Amino acid sequence: MDERAQAVLESALLDDLVAMGVSEGDTLLVHASMSGLGHGPRALGQALRSAVGGRLKGTLVVPAFTPENSLTSMAHHRRTRNVRDPVAYKDFKRKMPPFDPDRTRSQGMGRLAEWVRTSDGAVRSSHPQTSFAAWGCRALELMEGHEPDCHLGEKSPLAALYRAGARVLMINVGFDVCSAFHLAEYRYLSNPPKKLYSCVVWDESGRRGWFHYPDVDLDDSDFEAIGADLPEEMRKEWQLGRRTARLFSIKGAVDHAVDWMAEKRPCLTER
């Protein structure tokens, strides 16, 4: 795409974002699938930057998860489902690369997330499995303090985004990928179910090692249902290019999810 066509496309996307309600100064957690949109991540990314007022006024945040750095994730199980020999599996684990926030690509988060993560001035949180990346005036503030034993709870960027009054923008994706709902999993019970996680990291002396930690047993299987019950007045839907986009408050969504889980997840509390 030549520069003139790129500029026209960015302008059209910017008009759609502004009409949808994205404003200068916004902090947005963006989930997007580029499939079928008819353009690449650069056009959408540049339009988003303009819509929030640029680096000095707004902030873009994306998930930069690395689920393959795990012994329990579905991504790990898919990679190893044909590795049945114990010796071969041990060798596979030995070769798993440690998480490097500067170099490790996000996995399954989409092309826009990678575009934001690799942008000049972007900041990535330090969690070895569920990091986020941010660009803009509040990037460092929102990404710092992501503790390695807290995937998506009170010591993660999700809680920081909740406190900051951020909004979620979902483009061409369903509520099943709405990471904000995970924060509700830490809140709907006083002692939510937990499990043991394991991942590969660099230790303080620069050596490769395994990090094992208990954290909330995350379950997104009902996120689509939670989103379907999100009151219409709490979300705005709009056509963005060729696909549907949704915009809503993180605080409103998380508070709704807490109530929903408390009512409808009792059968899951004993996992």
Side-chain angles (χ1 to χ4, degrees):
M1 183 181 296
D2 62 36
E3 291 187 7
R4 183 175 180 181
Q6 180 84 10
V8 170
L9 177 56
E10 289 174 16
S11 179
L13 288 169
L14 175 59
D15 289 344
D16 287 342
L17 289 165
V18 172
M20 186 179 188
V22 177
S23 305
E24 185 177 281
D26 269 351
T27 297
L28 295 180
L29 172 58
V30 185
H31 295 272
S33 169
M34 303 305 301
S35 177
L37 285 179
H39 55 79
R42 178 187 167 191
L44 179 56
Q46 295 285 23
L48 284 164
R49 287 180 174 183
S50 297
V52 300
R55 185 194 302 272
L56 299 180
K57 295 182 179 179
T59 309
L60 302 179
V61 181
V62 292
F65 302 169
T66 49
E68 292 178 6
N69 185 24
S70 167
L71 296 183
T72 56
S73 71
M74 290 301 298
H76 178 77
H77 293 322
R78 284 193 296 268
R79 296 179 72 206
T80 60
R81 61 189 169 193
N82 294 321
V83 184
R84 296 175 181 169
D85 178 69
V87 175
Y89 182 64
K90 184 176 180 180
D91 186 60
F92 180 91
K93 287 170 58 180
R94 182 179 61 82
K95 293 178 180 177
M96 285 174 61
F99 174 73
D100 184 329
D102 295 326
R103 295 183 176 85
T104 303
R105 292 178 58 87
S106 63
Q107 297 153 4
M109 299 298 105
R111 288 183 288 156
L112 179 71
E114 271 298 281
W115 186 86
V116 172
R117 184 189 71 81
T118 57
S119 296
D120 289 342
V123 179
R124 190 180 197 176
S125 71
S126 58
H127 196 282
Q129 292 180 302
T130 50
S131 64
F132 289 81
W135 175 94
C137 65
R138 304 187 72 174
L140 183 60
E141 166 200 347
L142 295 169
M143 294 300 102
E144 65 182 359
H146 195 174
E147 296 296 329
D149 61 350
C150 180
H151 278 284
L152 299 164
E154 305 303 334
K155 297 179 288 184
S156 80
L158 281 184
L161 287 162
Y162 181 98
R163 293 190 296 269
R167 294 195 285 175
V168 179
L169 176 61
M170 301 178 62
I171 303 169
N172 195 27
V173 294
F175 282 106
D176 57 315
V177 301
C178 181
S179 60
F181 288 158
H182 282 299
L183 181 58
E185 294 192 278
Y186 289 76
R187 297 181 173 184
Y188 84 105
L189 292 171
S190 59
N191 186 28
K194 294 186 177 181
K195 72 176 184 180
L196 185 68
Y197 293 90
S198 301
C199 56
V200 190
V201 297
W202 297 110
D203 65 21
E204 294 180 355
S205 61
R207 292 179 299 184
R208 180 185 182 279
W210 284 92
F211 176 55
H212 309 282
Y213 61 102
D215 196 14
V216 169
D217 187 1
L218 301 172
D219 177 14
D220 59 11
S221 62
D222 52 10
F223 282 12
E224 197 66 58
I226 294 172
D229 282 348
L230 187 67
E232 290 188 7
E233 63 270 18
M234 293 179 63
R235 66 188 194 224
K236 186 166 187 178
E237 296 194 0
W238 202 263
Q239 287 300 116
L240 185 67
R242 301 178 182 180
R243 292 293 186 267
T244 299
R246 298 184 180 99
L247 181 67
F248 50 90
S249 156
I250 286 185
K251 185 179 187 304
V254 171
D255 292 350
H256 162 77
V258 168
D259 292 340
W260 194 100
M261 291 177 188
E263 177 183 355
K264 300 184 179 182
R265 269 197 180 188
C267 60
L268 301 180
T269 59
E270 298 301 323
R271 287 177 298 165

